[in-house]
Amino acid sequence: MDIVVSGIRPTGNLHLGNYFGALRNFIKMQEENQCFFFIADYHSLTTHPTPADLHGNVKSVLVDYLAAGLDPEKATLYLQSDLPETAELYLFLNMNAYLGELERVTSFKDKARTQPDNINAGLLTYPTLMAADIIIHKAHKVPVGKDQEQHLEMTRTFANRFNRLYKTEYFPEPVAYNFGEQLIKIPGLDGSTKMGKSEGEGNAIFLNDDPSVIRKKVMKAVTDSGPTEPGQPKPQPIENLFNLMKALSKPETLRFFEEAYDQCNIRYGDMKKQLAEDAIAFTEPFREKIESLRSNDEYLRKVALMGKEKAHESAAKTIREVREIIGFKPF
Ligand code: TRP
């Protein structure tokens, strides 16, 4: 059975883009692999969150992942900060990580450009911490998007370097697990091609949005005056509405509006009203579960503790063996 590891950034509540992206695939993977999914709260310290924001965002993603179907009995679901073995492995890996290679990482260069007054060592060594997250469980597969390929390449570099330095084959080479075709890209409501939080309020539908909020957001989605001749290609914002409908609505609903578009008698107001109701129906089960989980601290504590214990079992073994390989020996 393959060992799968992936980290979840604690960014607060999840939207439909997250759901159709990583989340649904995690839910599928937990059935057939030994999965370790953790909330990357050590990593988030690079941006210096307040204690309240840190905890609040961790809680929101934990609740949303559970509500959406991540099963703590099947996957090991834990907080990165509950596994200090990761921090120890990070220290070991940093001894063999070179300034030049870390400075060349695209995500580091981007951050250094966008936040020039906070270029801290945590940002620079983000790839070593991510490598530690992955190889602490000796993972084979890492389900991540294209934007993480370079970090994963670094992980392989660090794992191989460790093996070479100590003349061992201890760490396997983890590969990106790409869902390719199965990934449904969810567009934003503002006409942009991607639903995302940073794109601004109103661009994303969150799993816990109230029906009234969803209606307001969808009705505000960008449209135009409509097609004037049959067969006209759809402008991006219109294409987006159809793509959202494809993900959320019944096939016959989609067909109805496709035909209306082709016949140039589409009414975007009606289409958005329908889309809003379908989005409300789609998110309803999540909304209810999120609400009940949010107030169930006892259950959340139980889930976190169970994850911590299972993750610790795997990580403690690795650290014990790594210490021995490096040459730390008890007298
Ligand atoms: N870097 C990942 C992201 O930005 C999060 C992450 C941290 C991660 N550690 C990881 C992903 C280990 C996969 C494996 O989304």
Side-chain angles (χ1 to χ4, degrees):
M1 196 153 60
D2 277 335
I3 298 175
V4 171
V5 172
S6 200
I8 301 156
R9 260 176 297 158
T11 49
N13 289 114
L14 300 184
H15 51 67
L16 287 173
N18 302 128
Y19 177 77
F20 283 99
L23 188 41
R24 244 178 21 150
N25 291 311
F26 286 6
I27 291 165
K28 264 187 252 160
M29 289 190 101
Q30 70 183 356
E31 302 296 331
E32 289 151 27
N33 303 277
Q34 190 185 347
C35 290
F36 294 91
F37 298 128
F38 65 93
I39 299 172
D41 53 358
Y42 278 154
H43 268 122
S44 65
L45 297 184
T46 56
T47 60
H48 306 167
T50 66
D53 283 348
L54 178 64
H55 180 74
N57 285 336
V58 167
K59 179 171 175 178
S60 293
V61 286
L62 177 62
V63 163
D64 287 7
Y65 267 81
L66 289 168
L70 216 63
D71 184 344
E73 302 282 343
K74 291 178 181 157
T76 299
L77 187 56
Y78 66 99
L79 308 189
Q80 190 183 27
S81 61
D82 270 340
L83 201 65
E85 289 89 344
T86 304
E88 187 172 345
L89 185 56
Y90 166 61
L91 183 152
F92 297 152
L93 295 180
N94 271 333
M95 299 300 171
N96 302 304
Y98 297 98
L99 182 59
E101 65 187 340
L102 293 170
E103 279 177 331
R104 277 195 299 275
V105 174
T106 311
S107 63
F108 176 72
K109 288 194 288 192
D110 287 349
K111 283 276 157 59
R113 202 164 5 89
T114 53
Q115 49 182 72
D117 47 357
N118 184 20
I119 311 177
N120 59 63
L123 270 184
L124 181 71
T125 57
Y126 189 107
T128 37
L129 182 52
M130 181 159 158
D133 291 328
I134 294 167
I135 68 177
I136 193 78
H137 301 299
K138 303 178 80 176
H140 306 107
K141 284 189 202 161
V142 185
V144 284
K146 270 245 162 315
D147 63 320
Q148 299 296 315
E149 288 280 2
Q150 194 182 20
H151 289 153
L152 209 56
E153 187 60 46
M154 299 286 288
T155 301
R156 286 190 286 270
T157 300
F158 297 138
N160 285 330
R161 193 173 289 160
F162 180 94
N163 288 348
R164 226 175 315 114
L165 181 62
Y166 295 108
K167 300 185 173 50
T168 162
E169 310 227 320
Y170 188 69
F171 288 118
E173 258 196 29
V175 296
Y177 188 78
N178 231 316
F179 296 93
E181 291 301 295
Q182 294 169 51
L183 268 191
I184 300 175
K185 265 232 181 104
I186 297 296
L189 291 171
D190 62 353
S192 67
T193 52
K194 200 168 160 230
M195 185 172 279
K197 200 179 187 141
S198 51
E199 276 72 13
E201 264 306 299
N203 172 48
I205 297 172
F206 291 91
L207 299 185
N208 65 331
D209 271 348
D210 274 333
S212 62
V213 173
I214 294 179
R215 273 187 206 109
K216 215 179 284 162
K217 284 180 181 173
V218 174
M219 293 317 286
K220 273 203 195 145
V222 184
T223 52
D224 57 20
S225 52
T228 49
E229 50 190 277
Q232 216 170 309
K234 299 185 185 95
Q236 192 66 55
I238 305 302
E239 178 78 20
N240 287 355
L241 283 186
F242 277 96
N243 283 339
L244 272 172
M245 199 163 236
K246 199 180 200 170
L248 302 174
S249 307
K250 292 199 186 90
E252 57 265 33
T253 307
L254 179 66
R255 213 171 321 121
F256 174 84
F257 287 102
E258 287 280 10
E259 273 164 27
Y261 185 89
D262 286 341
Q263 289 159 14
C264 302
N265 59 9
I266 187 159
R267 290 158 59 145
Y268 290 131
D270 290 350
M271 181 179 181
K272 289 199 277 189
K273 255 187 224 151
Q274 180 67 45
L275 183 60
E277 293 318 306
D278 291 342
I280 290 164
F282 185 86
T283 49
E284 186 174 82
F286 301 128
R287 205 162 29 246
E288 284 170 4
K289 277 191 215 132
I290 288 169
E291 203 173 313
S292 82
L293 281 168
R294 277 204 81 81
S295 54
N296 196 344
D297 281 336
E298 200 185 314
Y299 177 71
L300 296 179
R301 199 163 29 243
K302 222 178 77 188
V303 167
L305 186 64
M306 191 166 75
K308 176 180 172 166
E309 282 170 356
K310 283 199 282 179
H312 173 72
E313 209 176 295
S314 151
K317 179 169 184 292
T318 306
I319 281 296
R320 203 182 325 112
E321 291 166 353
V322 163
R323 284 176 147 265
E324 207 178 297
I325 291 168
I326 292 176
F328 294 116
K329 279 206 175 98
F331 283 98

